Every structure is written in C-alpha cells, then in structure tokens.
Amino acid sequence: MECTVNHARAHSHEMRLLTGGVDLFAAMVVAMDAAQHEVLLETYIFAFAGAGADVAHALMRAAQRGVRVCVVVDGVGTGELPAVWADQFAQVGVQVRVYAPAVGLGFWLPSRWRRLHRKLCVVDTTVVFCGGINILDDYLDPHVQGLLTAPRLDYAVSVRGPLVVAARATMAQLWSRIEAVRELRSQDLGSALDALRGAKQRLHLPARGETQLVLRDNVRHRAHIERTYRKAIGASRQDIIVASAYFFPGLRLRRALLMAARRGVRVRLLLQGQYEYFLPYRAARQLYGQLMAAGVEIYEYHASYLHAKVAVIDGKWLTVGSSNLDPFSLLLAREANVVAHDAQMAQALQASLVSAIEQGAVRVDPHAYLHRGWRERAVDALASALLRFGVFLTGKRY
C-alpha cells in the first residue's frame, strides 16, 4: 500500500507511506537507478537473499555510473558482508563500512550494546527513506534461514523536501566519524583529523513543524524520540494506536499511556504475538496487567512477525521509524524516526494498523491474563527482571 501526500506550502514535504519491503525496495531501486551524484544507506541488517539482492544490484548499478555510494551496516545485525558480495561491491566502487564490529568477547561489554539500528537512505539530497525495514526480504526468516508463510509487518516513508538535507547531514556525520576511527587505527593522523573535522560539524535539524526527523544517539539526542512520543501522547484527545515490535517502555512513557487511557482516550497497542525473541516478549507481558487495568487494549499480532515501530494519534499525528519502545532503542541505539502532523498520512497509517488488528491479531483478554498459571507469571516476572538487570548494567536509569 502506498499513500502519497503533496503539500503546496513553501518548504513543504511530499511523503509516501510504504508498507513492507515490497513497497520500500521498489521505491529505493527506482531512486537509485535515477541517482546522479550520491547514494547513502544505513541499515541494521543487510541480507542479500531474495529482495535484498535487488537493492544490492541497484547500489552496484549506481556505482558503475560513477555515483558515490556509501553503505553502513551494523556490526551485530549484519557483521562482515558475505565474501562474494563484498568482492562485487569493491569491484564497482560501493564503499561499505561496519559500525562497531562485534569482535571477540568485547561484544558482551555493556558499552558495546550501542548499535546502529536506524534505517535511512538518501539519494541525491532528493529523497530520504526512513522506517523500520531492514534490507531483508519480507518472507525471509533469518533466525531459521527459512521462509515465512506471511510477510513481516513493517513500515517506512519516503520524503522529499527540506528533511532530506537533515537526513543527509546526519548520515554524512556518522560516515566521517567511522572514517576517522579507521584512519586512527591505520595511524594516518592527518586523514583522521580531516575526518573528525567533518564529524564535528553541528547537526541542524528542521525546526518544529509539520514534518521532522527525530534522532536518538548517545551525544546530543539522548531522549528526543521518547520525549516526542510523550508529548504527542500527552496532547491526545481521542485515539492512540502504537505498533511496537519490542515493547518495554520506561516509567514516564508508560505513565503517559496510562494517563491517556484514564482520561478517556482509546489506547490500542499492537505487539508481537509470533515473537522473534523469547525474553523481550515475555518481559513485555509483565506490563500487560497495569496497562489493561487502565483501559488500554492490547493486541498480539500472530499473522507473521511484527517488526513495525509506528504510532498514530487522533488521526492527525504519526511517527514512522526505527525506534522500538524498549530500552535498547530508547537508551542505547542510534535511531531515526520521521514525525509528521498530517491527517491524510495519519489516517492511511491508521487504516493499515486497524486492518492488521482486525485480520491478523488477537486481543489479550484481561480476565484470562489475570488468571494465567503461576508458571507463566514466574516466567514473565523473571524475563522482566533480567531485562531490567541488563539496563542496570549499562548504567542507565529507565
């Protein structure tokens, strides 16, 4: 499904809502095939099977035309590229960097849990793609190297307008920092200083308005995404729908949802039912009782994996991005969300989420939850305690 919105005002944005890799990868390939100067791509996972290969080939075609192509993948989500693809990229000039490579036992240090989780792509400062979708085929299950019976549920947006410059700036800044580290390791101090000068340029994001790029990092934007959520939830009057693959919000964000429900706002949460990881799924269930007691409706998505990180409020405000509502995203990872005040886009996203709830999800019954067995209660409590202990190890307050 695609929804296109055109704004006639000066400094306006043209936005498209993209559902799944089917929509996103097709739009990215078209943009890359039209690129004349530059393609920048950041992703947590780059899997080359299926539709992921379509994106890889589009990157190579652009590089072969002389377009500057820079790709950053996460050291845990992707790691080193498969040798055959790394060779092909190198031959045509696609530059690839690995963010914080996972080397040895160092990965288990809490300081190494800060990952590149955002999914951004900028083409020629003309268009930016932002969302929760990795370069991963909708039907590919990377955990068992098999195929899903139904596509993964996830969203992205493409945006044209001033936001593209901000996205390009933050991506260029990260690239410069990675290059500086590479040069320092090779003891090329001159090149390292040049790269650091580029990385130190202050990042100017668009002023508050109808469409914003909201970042989370460990320097200047530590809590921007969470604050944006809390502010929008606090201003809600009628309806909130949040879809989050990993859901374990901190006290303040949880309180904002509870207060909204108690003042009569209809609050619906779409969470994983067919889960990818046991621990975060069971930890999230530990929170269900408090939320449902306040009137929050909780739906677990069983049609396939839920990977979305989106929200719609009052049919006017929406966010689409990479940030889950859990400690990993809100405290540690680099994340990027697009936030917009746009009724047409918000209602298109809301319609898609309502369809997913009605056709692919099951509502959690409060009575059945309260009367679940002691073993289930113990597992939920243990999972929650382990997740909180992990946060404690990072030295963060949540």
Side-chain angles (χ1 to χ4, degrees):
M1 182 197 76
E2 294 185 4
C3 174
T4 304
V5 178
N6 294 283
H7 296 293
R9 291 179 291 277
H11 304 300
S12 62
H13 292 88
E14 176 188 315
M15 297 179 62
R16 294 168 61 197
L17 177 65
L18 306 167
T19 303
V22 171
D23 284 355
L24 174 63
F25 300 159
M28 288 174 63
V29 167
V30 169
M32 290 174 184
D33 282 343
Q36 299 181 17
H37 306 291
E38 182 181 64
V39 176
L40 305 179
L41 174 66
E42 294 177 3
T43 184
Y44 182 67
I45 297 173
F46 200 136
F48 293 87
D54 296 339
V55 177
H57 286 300
L59 291 168
M60 290 193 293
R61 289 194 297 271
Q64 286 173 321
R65 299 194 307 273
V67 174
R68 178 176 181 251
V69 180
C70 301
V71 177
V72 182
V73 299
D74 184 74
V76 172
T78 302
E80 294 294 334
L81 300 192
V84 62
W85 285 100
D87 290 343
Q88 291 184 66
F89 277 1
Q91 288 173 11
V92 299
V94 175
Q95 302 178 68
V96 180
R97 302 291 182 264
V98 179
Y99 179 88
V103 179
L105 296 178
F107 167 70
W108 298 103
L109 296 173
S111 61
R112 302 293 291 173
W113 297 351
R114 298 173 178 177
R115 310 311 311 174
L116 175 69
H117 195 243
R118 64 194 191 190
K119 293 87 179 174
L120 288 170
C121 179
V122 168
V123 179
D124 282 350
T125 63
T126 300
V127 61
V128 56
F129 300 92
C130 176
I133 304 172
N134 290 295
I135 308 301
L136 176 66
D137 190 288
D138 284 342
Y139 284 88
L140 181 64
D141 184 347
H143 305 290
V144 298
Q145 299 300 313
L147 296 178
L148 301 171
T149 57
R152 186 180 293 100
L153 180 63
D154 210 344
Y155 298 91
V157 290
S158 67
V159 184
R160 296 176 183 269
L163 198 73
V164 182
V165 176
R168 197 252 171 216
T170 189
M171 297 176 78
Q173 186 181 73
L174 178 61
W175 184 269
S176 294
R177 287 174 176 166
I178 293 173
E179 290 297 273
V181 171
R182 282 168 53 90
E183 299 298 345
L184 284 171
R185 286 175 176 169
S186 67
Q187 299 183 338
D188 187 344
L189 296 182
S191 298
L193 288 172
D194 289 341
L196 283 171
R197 291 188 190 101
K200 286 183 178 180
Q201 293 179 2
R202 186 168 180 176
L203 183 61
H204 294 280
L205 297 179
R208 286 187 294 176
E210 292 206 356
T211 305
Q212 303 172 60
L213 180 68
V214 184
L215 304 175
R216 206 226 76 85
D217 59 33
N218 294 291
V219 184
R220 299 182 59 86
H221 308 284
R222 294 174 184 268
H224 285 194
I225 290 178
E226 182 180 354
R227 285 203 299 265
T228 300
Y229 262 99
R230 293 205 317 265
K231 182 177 179 181
I233 291 168
S236 63
R237 293 294 177 265
Q238 297 174 321
D239 187 84
I240 298 171
I241 303 180
V242 174
S244 184
Y246 300 102
F247 182 82
F248 199 83
L251 179 60
R252 288 180 292 181
L253 185 50
R254 200 160 68 244
R255 185 182 295 144
L257 290 168
L258 293 169
M259 291 176 64
R262 288 167 181 160
R263 67 173 182 268
V265 176
R266 186 183 186 190
V267 181
R268 286 173 282 182
L269 303 179
L270 180 59
L271 309 178
Q272 283 193 349
Q274 180 177 332
Y275 58 84
E276 295 186 78
Y277 300 102
F278 182 78
L279 180 65
Y281 168 71
R282 297 308 298 241
R285 288 183 64 85
Q286 178 71 4
L287 305 178
Y288 285 8
Q290 180 189 36
L291 292 163
M292 290 190 293
V296 175
E297 303 171 28
I298 300 178
Y299 299 86
E300 292 187 335
Y301 189 73
H302 290 274
S304 185
Y305 287 139
L306 170 74
H307 197 256
K309 308 101 167 52
V310 301
V312 181
I313 296 179
D314 292 341
K316 299 176 182 178
W317 180 96
L318 74 151
T319 183
V320 177
S322 64
S323 181
N324 291 294
L325 301 185
D326 75 333
F328 174 82
S329 284
L330 297 177
L331 295 180
L332 298 172
R334 288 181 177 270
E335 306 282 6
N337 279 34
V338 168
V339 174
H341 293 78
D342 188 294
Q344 188 175 343
M345 283 286 290
Q347 289 165 20
L349 178 56
Q350 180 166 324
S352 180
L353 291 172
V354 169
S355 177
I357 289 172
E358 292 176 348
Q359 298 179 25
V362 175
R363 183 172 179 178
V364 178
D365 180 74
H367 178 80
Y369 175 84
L370 288 174
H371 292 85
R372 70 199 191 282
W374 69 266
R375 287 186 179 86
E376 285 195 67
R377 292 172 180 269
V379 169
D380 294 345
L382 179 60
S384 175
L386 289 172
L387 196 57
R388 292 180 187 279
F389 181 67
V391 175
F392 170 77
L393 291 178
T394 68
K396 302 285 187 178
R397 297 182 62 185
Y398 190 57

